[in-house]
């Protein structure tokens, strides 16, 4: 029999030992009083409460225990939210502050804001409008292989200069143009290349649906949609470029169309007739204009040769200037209308005054003669009808140099004519104006003006004597007369209508070639020898014709000019205005007068010039 020493059973025997995972055990079972450390503390107490670091807490959190799952999910969600917030914030920061993006955005803003208002004719027909186009740009800093980019882009856009493009892409700039205004097909092909750093910008491109029609009035806009000439430049000067420069994002829909005084139908007809006349008489150039004498509106204006504003590569060619507004010319005998009006309005002469034209008028070593000399005394209407240089020179001498200058200044012939078109020319005035100058200027030599100036003056001569400044914008008669100036008496105006009608209705009149039946036309021819190298040329003429329709109650004045027309078959060797500018003007009147609301009248008006009839003016009984 062995003896087994059996320990006495304690109170906690057979139970789980207390641990620090269940702190309530200590409170129930107490501590072992038999075991103490040097400081009198129980070593089990120290084991139950270890000091944990951050790593210990994290390890404890992710132990697979049910009571810790909510904390783990919350922490994971917080981490994901923080991560995505950081990524999103970075993307926003790059979009807002990236230097490259900022440059692109500035360029885009500059181009898109350059929208322009439509330009329409007096009937609302579109003359100029914007269309949306796309341009290709590059961000050189973002292009990895520049040589490959050049090779691919020039293959799709063969008109690009490879060297120039390589130089552009070789810069450190954030934005450069590759090609402006590409087609949709080209855009698709460039996009298909997938070159990093190549993008597209929407732009506004100015188009002119009627091509050359009204080119010299409209002018054109450049690739940046900035007006370069004509009404396009005028629109910019009225504040459009200031708005664009201030950064306003303007669309065409925000801008009211600009309505011109032009009639597109008449514009086409005028150009067509001038093209035919230029070809027939082999002229170097030709031009024409139609003026509403009661409103000052320019109904049509053409200068040939012209250009296509959609592709204005020839616009600056010296032969393609606007001869009506920019060119200055000696207007020849059409200026005699101003001299006769001056003489009649002065009160010193009347419709029945006479002038000695039996021989040439001598002044020093110069002698003034008539082209078709009559060698007799002429009445005022006969001076006009026979286009007598001698008679008009005597009229001007009778008024005097200062009186002559004052009258021409009042008629707007000695200063620059300003209209909406930015392009205008100063008249060429003699530096020392003496009696000889007055004599020659009286019949259209020695003073060069823009044809539009002369047209304005003739309008005043026939509309009752009111000088109305021409305009290319549509307006009413009331608006036109607000700032108009009465320059001659109404009686003088009737006399001028009378002599102009007489010049077209009598056989000896030089305007008979434009006397289209039914329209009661009046008119005056003008032929001036061109100045070549400071001397008058005997075989190069500048011819003009001014027609009034209808002469009894004028509504329109027509002007046609021809530069160096030639004698052709049927002109009997002549190249003067009666043989070229006159017939061309007649064709224009016949074609466009009905469009302008002037139907033909085949019965002459009764008493169209009552004052002239009472005074018994020469020709009034014809």
């Amino acid at each position: 029999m062995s003896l087994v020493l059996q320990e006495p059973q304690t109170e906690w025997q057979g139970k789980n030992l207390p641990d620090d995972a269940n702190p309530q055990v200590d409170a129930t079972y107490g501590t072992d009083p038999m075991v103490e450390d040097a400081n009198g503390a129980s070593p089990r107490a120290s084991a139950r409460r270890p000091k944990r670091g951050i790593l210990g807490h994290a390890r404890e959190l992710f132990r697979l225990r049910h009571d810790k799952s909510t904390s783990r999910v919350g922490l994971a969600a917080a981490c994901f939210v923080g991560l995505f917030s950081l990524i999103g914030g970075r993307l926003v920061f790059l979009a807002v502050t990236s230097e490259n993006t900022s440059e692109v955005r500035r360029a885009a803003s500059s181009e898109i804001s350059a929208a322009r208002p439509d330009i329409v004719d007096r009937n609302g027909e579109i003359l100029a409008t914007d269309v949306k186009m796309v341009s290709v740009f590059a961000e050189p800093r973002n292009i990895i292989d520049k040589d490959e980019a050049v090779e691919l882009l020039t293959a799709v856009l063969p008109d690009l200069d490879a060297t120039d493009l390589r130089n552009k892409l070789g810069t450190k700039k954030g934005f450069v143009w590759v090609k402006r205004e590409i087609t949709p097909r080209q855009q698709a092909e460039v996009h298909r290349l997938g070159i990093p750093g190549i993008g597209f910008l929407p732009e506004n491109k100015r188009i002119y649906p009627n091509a050359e029609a009204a080119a010299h009035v409209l002018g054109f806009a450049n690739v940046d949609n900035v007006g370069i000439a004509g009404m396009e430049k005028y629109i910019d000067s009225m504040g459009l470029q200031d708005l664009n420069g201030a950064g306003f994002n303007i669309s065409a829909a925000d801008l009211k169309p600009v309505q011109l005084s032009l009639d597109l139908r008449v514009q086409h007809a005028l150009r067509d007739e001038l093209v035919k006349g230029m070809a027939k008489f082999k002229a170097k150039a030709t031009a024409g204009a139609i003026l509403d004498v009661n409103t000052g509106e320019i109904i049509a204006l053409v200068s040939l040769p012209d250009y296509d504003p959609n592709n204005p590569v020839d616009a600056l060619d010296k032969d393609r200037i606007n001869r009506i507004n920019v060119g200055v010319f000696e207007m020849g005998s059409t200026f005699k209308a101003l001299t006769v009006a001056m003489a009649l309005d002065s009160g010193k002469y009347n419709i029945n005054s006479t002038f000695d034209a039996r021989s040439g008028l001598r002044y020093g070593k110069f002698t003034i003669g008539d082209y078709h000399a009559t060698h007799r005394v002429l009445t005022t209407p006969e001076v006009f009808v026979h286009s007598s240089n001698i008679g008009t020179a005597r009229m001007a001498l009778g008024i005097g140099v200062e009186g002559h200058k004052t009258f021409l200044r009042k008629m707007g012939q000695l200063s620059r004519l300003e209209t909406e078109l930015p392009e205008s020319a100063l008249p060429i005035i003699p530096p020392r104006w003496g009696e000889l100058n007055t004599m020659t200027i009286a019949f259209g030599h020695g003073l060069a003006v823009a044809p539009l100036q002369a047209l304005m003056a003739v309008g005043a001569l026939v509309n009752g004597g009111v000088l109305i400044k021409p305009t290319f914008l549509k307006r009413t008669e009331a608006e036109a007369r607000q700032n108009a100036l009465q320059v001659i008496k109404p009686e003088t105006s009737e006399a001028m209508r009378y002599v102009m009608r007489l010049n077209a209705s009598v056989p000896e009149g030089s305007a008979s070639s434009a006397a289209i039946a039914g329209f009661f036309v009046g008119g005056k021819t003008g032929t001036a020898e061109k100045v070549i190298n400071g001397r008058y040329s005997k075989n190069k003429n500048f011819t003009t014709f001014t027609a009034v329709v209808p002469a009894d109650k004028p509504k329109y004045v027509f002007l046609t000019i021809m530069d160096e027309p030639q004698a052709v078959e049927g002109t009997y060797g002549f190249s003067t205005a009666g043989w070229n500018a006159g017939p061309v003007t007649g064709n224009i009147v016949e074609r466009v007068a009905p469009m302008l609301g002037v139907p033909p009248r085949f019965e002459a008006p009764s008493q169209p010039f009552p004052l002239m009839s009472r005074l018994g003016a020469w020709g009034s009984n014809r």
Side-chain angles (χ1 to χ4, degrees):
M1 177 174 190
S2 61
L3 296 176
V4 178
L5 182 61
Q6 188 175 11
E7 293 185 24
Q9 189 171 358
T10 63
E11 185 177 351
W12 45 267
Q13 198 170 9
K15 300 180 183 286
N16 290 332
L17 290 174
D19 59 21
D20 48 11
N22 190 354
Q24 292 181 351
V25 173
D26 290 349
T28 304
Y29 301 106
T31 61
D32 186 356
M34 302 299 292
V35 182
E36 293 181 353
D37 62 9
N39 296 324
S42 172
R44 184 175 291 277
S46 297
R48 284 196 301 268
R49 294 179 179 83
K51 293 183 179 180
R52 301 190 187 112
I54 296 176
L55 185 60
H57 282 289
R59 186 183 296 113
E60 181 67 20
L61 178 66
F62 285 97
R63 287 177 64 189
L64 296 177
R65 293 176 54 179
H66 175 72
D67 57 338
K68 300 296 182 180
S69 61
T70 302
S71 300
R72 288 196 297 269
V73 171
L75 179 61
C79 290
F80 277 108
V81 169
L83 178 62
F84 283 108
S85 296
L86 181 64
I87 295 172
R90 181 60 178 168
L91 290 174
V92 171
F93 176 79
L94 290 174
V96 173
T97 63
S98 170
E99 183 180 357
N100 293 354
T101 304
S102 178
E103 290 189 44
V104 173
R105 200 179 341 55
R106 283 197 299 269
S109 175
S110 173
E111 298 305 330
I112 295 172
S113 66
R116 306 183 65 80
D118 288 347
I119 301 179
V120 299
D121 82 336
R122 64 187 304 107
N123 301 312
E125 297 293 332
I126 294 288
L127 298 175
T129 190
D130 280 354
V131 296
K132 291 295 182 182
M133 299 291 289
V134 171
S135 294
V136 186
F137 72 90
E139 299 173 85
R141 288 194 291 249
N142 293 337
I143 296 178
I144 300 170
D145 190 335
K146 294 177 173 53
D147 292 326
E148 181 188 30
V150 170
E151 183 179 353
L152 292 174
L153 287 170
T154 52
V156 172
L157 305 171
D159 54 339
L160 287 177
D161 185 298
T163 302
D164 180 59
L165 181 58
R166 183 63 182 81
N167 292 336
K168 286 182 179 180
L169 299 186
T171 65
K172 298 296 184 181
K173 295 181 179 179
F175 176 93
V176 295
W177 286 116
V178 174
K179 182 172 174 57
R180 310 289 291 273
E181 299 171 358
I182 63 173
T183 66
R185 172 177 290 182
Q186 288 174 325
Q187 181 186 6
E189 291 176 350
V190 172
H191 184 270
R192 196 177 296 117
L193 296 176
I195 305 173
I198 298 296
F200 304 98
L201 269 180
E203 291 195 89
N204 295 300
K205 177 179 173 59
R206 199 64 161 170
I207 65 164
Y208 305 89
N210 299 285
E212 294 88 356
H216 283 106
V217 176
L218 295 173
F220 59 94
N222 65 10
V223 70
D224 294 312
N225 235 20
V226 175
I228 299 300
M231 292 301 296
E232 294 284 24
K233 189 172 183 179
Y234 165 78
I235 291 171
D236 285 353
S237 72
M238 298 304 290
L240 180 62
Q241 280 304 306
D242 293 337
L243 290 175
N244 291 330
F248 287 92
N249 190 9
I250 303 171
S251 67
D254 299 324
L255 301 169
K256 182 180 179 182
V258 177
Q259 188 167 36
L260 303 189
S261 58
L262 300 183
D263 188 317
L264 184 58
R265 304 167 304 163
V266 178
Q267 186 76 24
H268 277 297
L270 175 61
R271 185 178 187 279
D272 186 51
E273 293 298 332
L274 289 176
V275 167
K276 294 176 183 176
M278 184 175 173
K280 180 177 180 178
F281 297 106
K282 301 177 182 178
K284 175 183 177 182
T286 185
I290 302 173
L291 172 75
D292 185 319
V293 300
N294 298 310
T295 66
E297 295 171 298
I298 303 298
I299 305 300
L301 184 151
V302 175
S303 181
L304 299 175
D306 52 14
Y307 61 91
D308 185 352
N310 293 297
N311 185 29
V313 292
D314 300 323
L316 299 180
D317 189 282
K318 65 179 182 178
D319 287 331
R320 298 177 190 272
I321 65 168
N322 179 357
R323 285 172 167 78
I324 296 294
N325 208 60
V326 177
V328 289
F329 307 98
E330 294 184 355
M331 296 299 290
S333 294
T334 52
F335 236 60
K336 290 173 182 173
L338 292 175
T339 305
V340 172
M342 175 183 68
L344 295 175
D345 206 61
S346 69
K348 189 170 184 178
Y349 303 101
N350 60 50
I351 198 67
N352 292 316
S353 296
T354 57
F355 302 88
D356 189 357
R358 290 174 294 180
S359 59
L361 178 61
R362 292 188 60 83
Y363 188 90
K365 62 179 181 179
F366 299 99
T367 301
I368 295 173
D370 286 341
Y371 187 70
H372 295 292
T374 58
H375 302 293
R376 61 183 178 85
V377 174
L378 302 174
T379 63
T380 300
E382 287 179 299
V383 168
F384 192 84
V385 168
H386 291 286
S387 197
S388 172
N389 296 337
I390 299 170
T392 49
R394 290 191 184 279
M395 289 180 185
L397 282 176
I399 300 300
V401 172
E402 290 306 315
H404 190 201
K405 291 167 67 175
T406 298
F407 182 80
L408 292 179
R409 186 175 296 109
K410 181 172 64 173
M411 299 300 294
Q413 303 304 295
L414 302 185
S415 59
R416 185 195 303 270
L417 175 62
E418 295 181 355
T419 65
E420 293 83 10
L421 297 188
E423 304 84 17
S424 59
L426 278 168
I428 300 176
I429 303 170
R432 290 183 294 275
W433 190 323
E435 285 190 336
L436 182 60
N437 301 105
T438 280
M439 294 166 67
T440 60
I441 291 171
F443 53 83
H445 288 264
L447 174 65
V449 300
L452 189 59
Q453 287 181 275
L455 186 64
M456 172 185 68
V458 173
L461 297 185
V462 300
N463 72 358
V466 180
L467 186 69
I468 301 174
K469 187 177 178 180
T471 182
F472 291 91
L473 298 174
K474 188 177 181 180
R475 71 181 175 194
T476 65
E477 184 174 345
E479 292 170 339
R481 291 182 178 260
Q482 284 180 352
N483 299 315
L485 179 67
Q486 188 80 35
V487 288
I488 61 173
K489 297 187 284 288
E491 307 88 78
T492 304
S493 180
E494 181 183 324
M496 294 311 302
R497 296 196 298 271
Y498 170 73
V499 295
M500 292 185 82
R501 171 57 187 169
L502 200 63
N503 193 39
S505 59
V506 298
E508 55 266 52
S510 61
S512 57
S513 58
I516 304 302
F519 293 105
F520 209 66
V521 178
K524 184 72 186 79
T525 56
T527 302
E529 296 172 345
K530 291 187 67 175
V531 178
I532 307 296
N533 298 323
R535 301 180 64 86
Y536 285 107
S537 172
K538 296 297 182 181
N539 57 0
K540 293 183 178 180
N541 291 335
F542 182 84
T543 64
T544 63
F545 192 96
T546 305
V548 181
V549 180
D552 57 331
K553 294 180 180 179
K555 291 186 178 180
Y556 301 98
V557 176
F558 294 69
L559 173 66
T560 301
I561 63 177
M562 304 199 82
D563 193 351
E564 297 185 22
Q566 305 299 309
V568 297
E569 184 180 356
T571 65
Y572 307 100
F574 294 104
S575 61
T576 50
W579 296 100
N580 44 66
V584 171
T585 306
N587 294 338
I588 295 169
V589 170
E590 186 174 28
R591 183 168 173 179
V592 309
M595 298 180 189
L596 296 172
V598 184
R601 298 176 297 173
F602 295 104
E603 291 185 6
S606 60
Q607 292 295 316
F609 310 106
L611 179 60
M612 297 298 102
S613 297
R614 288 199 305 271
L615 294 175
W618 181 89
S620 59
N621 57 350
R622 292 195 176 195

